[in-house]
Structures are given as C-alpha cells and as structure tokens.
Amino acid sequence: MPCLSRCRRRVPVALKGSDLAVQAHAGEGASEVGSWQLTEHDFSCVPANLIRYIKNHLPDDVDYGVCIEGTRNTKHHEQTNQMKELLEEMRRDATKVPLAAPHRDAVAYLVLCSAHDAHLLLRLLGTVYRPEDSFWIHFDAKMSPKAVAEIQRHPIMNQPNVQSEQVLAGCWGCPSLAWMKMLGLLRLLQSPTGWSNVMTLSPNTFPIKPLKKFYAALDQYRDTIFMWTTKPAPVNMRHNQMWEQRHGENGSVLCHLGRRTLDSVVKAPQAIYKASQWDVLPWAAARWLVLESPVIEQMEFWKSTAIPDEHMVPTLLGN
C-alpha cells in the first residue's frame, strides 16, 4: 500500500501568521538557529514496556516493564522494507533531484506529530508559515483518524506547500522514528516548492526569538549543518545489544533480543555518533542522506539498534 496518494497542488497563498516569538528562557548556549525549545515536556507518553537497560536515557521515575511474550513484529518489518523500496525507487531517478538547493531563500519544516502534542501543531504552523516554505507533517499511525481529520480541515493544512501523511507507528526508542525522518527528507526533496535548509521539529517546539533572526542566521550559514552533537558514543546497550520494534495489544514496544550477532557487528558503521534528532540540514546533506549515503545497506543494523533516531543521521554524516 503506497505511503502517499497524489494530489493536485494549488498556488500558495499568504496566510496570517505571527513573526513574534514567545518570550521564554533560552537554554545555555542557544544560538539564533538553535533558539527553539520544548514548551511542554510530558513523559507520560513513554511506553511502560521499555527495557531497564536504557533507563539511564530517561528520568528515573519512568516505570519500565518487559517485552510482552508473543508480541507481533510483522508490521514493522513490512514498514522497514517499504522504506527501503521508497529509497531505492528515488535513487533510480536521482537525476531529477537538483544538486544545488533550488530555492535559496526558503526553509523546509519536517514535523513529527504524535497524539500527545497534536493540539500544539496548528499553533506552530500558524507561527512559522510562509508561502515560500515547504512543510511535511507526519501524524503518528496511532492517532485516531477523527483527530487527524479535524486538524486537516484547517485552512493552513490545505495549502499546496503543506504535505501530511499518517503511515508509521512510532514508539520511544524504536526504528520507526528514524524511518519517519528519512521519509520526510525524501518527500521534501520531491516537493516542487524548493528550499535550502530543512528543520526537524515537534509540535512541542516553538521559537523563542523572532523568526527574522532565524532566517538571517540560515542565510549567513546556508551550507552548515546545525546539530546538537556529542563525541562518538562508546559501545553501550544501545548498540552492542539487539532490539526490535514490535506491536502488542497496547501499541508498539521496543523489545530486547540479546547480544548482537557477529554478522550484525560486521555490518555496523565504523564509529557511532549521537546527536539530537531535532536538527537543521542544508539541501546537500539531505540529498546525500537520501540518495547517496549507505543508509540502505545499514537498515538492518539501525532496525536492531535502540533509539536510532539519535544515532542514524549523525553516524551517516560522521562517517
């Protein structure tokens, strides 16, 4: 079943938005491009079925359980295979994607929306919307169709430069979050609007400085990758153990399978990097990730790695 059905695109029109920023405390070291922060932080959405091995990556008060025996996993294998097929298909038509950014003064926004922050989506879009920009929004597959339909009735969602899909079911630490990112980059590279930089956002994030400063900083550092990185991550429970996203009665869960096999270690990247998944990438970096990087060859490794959305993109770029 295809991820996205074709639709006719109309000429973008200007909608009333706001260039004013919410006055909030900027974290230490915040720059003009990094002047976004979480406005709500709710860990109640974290599944209770996460294994204790990764508890150091969440607050101590989060309750962890064990993977339900007999949990189904067919659906997520199919999603990984479909993502692979989409990447392979686009690579066959790689010449259709320009080498240089087709629109130097436009930004693309890749927004990952879950049921827990969907109520903030229209506020975010109403603030950052410009008719020259591109927007791709992924609604988590676990969201009710009624809730998604209500959001999609808003005028801003019907603009030709705004795309939305609801195809992947995410869970904290699961590979589907990494696939959402790759799917969004792929769709935005196909967007006829054109852009120079792509920013990954959650509806929970919101600008804390005037957007004109954000655009000015992007214009000054147009070909720069903005990513909150750390040093290469040592081998730890995220990488030397095997994990799998499975589907149970209460939704998707991350299951621990045991230590890595020799075959999977051989296929692992040379060095593992860690960064926040909320980054800003120039056109050239996004194009390379989708069309030229070894992401297809490494999909089996990332599919069995915990929290790959914090590792896959920085590792691909870092190696």
Side-chain angles (χ1 to χ4, degrees), residues 231-305:
K231 295 179 180 179
V235 175
N236 57 29
M237 292 301 295
R238 295 187 183 189
H239 314 118
N240 67 3
Q241 301 288 312
M242 295 194 66
W243 306 81
E244 186 170 68
Q245 180 175 352
R246 295 184 179 179
H247 185 71
E249 294 180 358
N250 297 321
S252 296
V253 294
L254 187 63
C255 299
H256 181 228
L257 303 183
R259 295 192 63 83
R260 281 203 175 275
T261 63
L262 180 61
D263 181 60
S264 66
V265 171
V266 171
K267 296 179 180 178
Q270 292 183 351
I272 302 293
Y273 291 81
K274 180 182 181 297
S276 169
Q277 66 272 49
W278 315 111
D279 52 31
V280 181
L281 303 175
W283 174 276
R287 187 186 188 282
W288 180 84
L289 285 168
V290 172
L291 298 178
E292 301 178 31
S293 76
V295 63
I296 294 177
E297 294 82 355
Q298 294 180 11
M299 287 189 90
E300 289 301 316
F301 174 80
W302 295 118
K303 187 177 71 172
S304 58
T305 297

Side-chain angles (χ1 to χ4, degrees), residues 17-23 127 206-211:
S18 171
D19 207 330
L20 300 177
V22 170
Q23 297 301 314
T127 300
F206 201 71
I208 57 176
K209 293 186 179 181
L211 290 174

